[in-house]
Amino acid sequence: MIKGIIIVNNHGKPRLVKFYQSVTSEEKQQSVIRRVFQQVAQRPDSFCNYLEGSIPEWGENIKLIYRHYATLYFVFAVDSQESDLGILDLIQVFVEALDKCFENVCELDLIFHSDRVHYILDEVVMGGMVLETNINQILQAIKDQGKAHSDSLNKVNAGDSASAIRERLGGDVSQWTYNW
């Protein structure tokens, strides 16, 4: 099972963090992120992309499987039952999906489009279990979601006034006043 996915930059700033096994407090979450970054960042790129060890919040026999792309570390913390090569391939699929969606993904894409990044991740992994590894299926789901989003935006006519939109949403228009 995947315990957590952490994407950090070269300076240790988290850009995406998703814990699938609970880490109770924010302080402990920061500690996990720091510990993971320190273990991964001190290794030269010529070393293998697997680390075995212990993260107290997740217990013994935790493996950190990671890839270092440009300025970002993509780190998956998994238990001992997960395949190292399978997770490494999963990281590659996730990065390829990001790359296709953002056309040469960079750190700023993760910052300014975090909602889309989380959606892409949720197409690949949910609840710590791998859902999909086929890049074409993932991209089709993302394309379908984007089409549904644009269709919902097109249903609102740009010429509609705010009060007309409120009327369509239902409810008493007088309740929708704002105090600026």
Side-chain angles (χ1 to χ4, degrees):
M1 180 175 164
I2 298 172
K3 305 290 186 175
I5 298 172
I6 301 169
I7 302 175
V8 293
N9 68 11
N10 289 340
H11 304 291
K13 298 245 187 250
R15 297 304 180 204
L16 179 134
V17 177
K18 190 110 175 195
F19 293 128
Y20 296 106
Q21 183 174 334
S22 180
V23 178
T24 54
S25 70
E26 186 177 331
E27 186 177 299
K28 287 185 180 183
Q29 290 175 2
Q30 295 293 331
S31 173
V32 168
I33 295 166
R34 242 186 332 274
R35 193 174 303 113
V36 166
F37 173 72
Q38 287 170 350
Q39 290 181 33
V40 169
Q42 69 185 7
R43 295 170 57 93
D45 286 340
S46 61
F47 281 24
C48 71
N49 297 3
Y50 314 103
L51 284 170
E52 287 194 31
S54 167
I55 296 179
E57 291 79 4
W58 288 325
E60 299 293 322
N61 298 324
I62 298 299
K63 296 187 287 188
L64 299 178
I65 302 170
Y66 69 95
R67 292 291 302 260
H68 185 206
Y69 293 101
T71 63
L72 296 169
Y73 288 95
F74 290 76
V75 184
F76 281 50
V78 300
D79 61 18
S80 60
Q81 296 178 1
E82 291 289 341
S83 163
D84 298 347
L85 291 175
I87 296 296
L88 204 56
D89 186 49
L90 187 66
I91 294 171
Q92 181 67 32
V93 167
F94 177 53
V95 171
E96 282 181 34
L98 289 173
D99 214 33
K100 297 267 190 212
C101 292
F102 294 111
E103 297 178 15
N104 202 6
V105 68
C106 68
E107 187 174 347
L108 291 175
D109 293 321
L110 299 181
I111 295 168
F112 293 116
H113 303 287
S114 63
D115 55 334
R116 288 177 58 196
V117 174
H118 278 279
Y119 180 78
I120 295 166
L121 181 61
D122 288 343
E123 286 297 320
V124 177
V125 177
M126 178 132 345
M129 304 300 288
V130 177
L131 292 180
E132 187 63 65
T133 58
N134 183 329
I135 187 72
N136 296 322
Q137 293 290 325
I138 295 165
L139 293 174
Q140 185 60 47
I142 294 164
K143 182 179 175 184
D144 293 344
Q145 192 269 343
K147 184 178 179 331
H149 177 71
S150 65
D151 288 350
S152 70
L153 291 177
N154 290 336
K155 287 185 181 182
V156 175
N157 186 348
D160 286 349
S161 67
S163 60
I165 293 171
R166 286 187 208 117
E167 290 283 336
R168 275 195 289 181
L169 291 174
D172 184 12
V173 177
S174 64
Q175 295 175 348
W176 294 73
T177 59
Y178 297 97
N179 296 323
W180 300 99

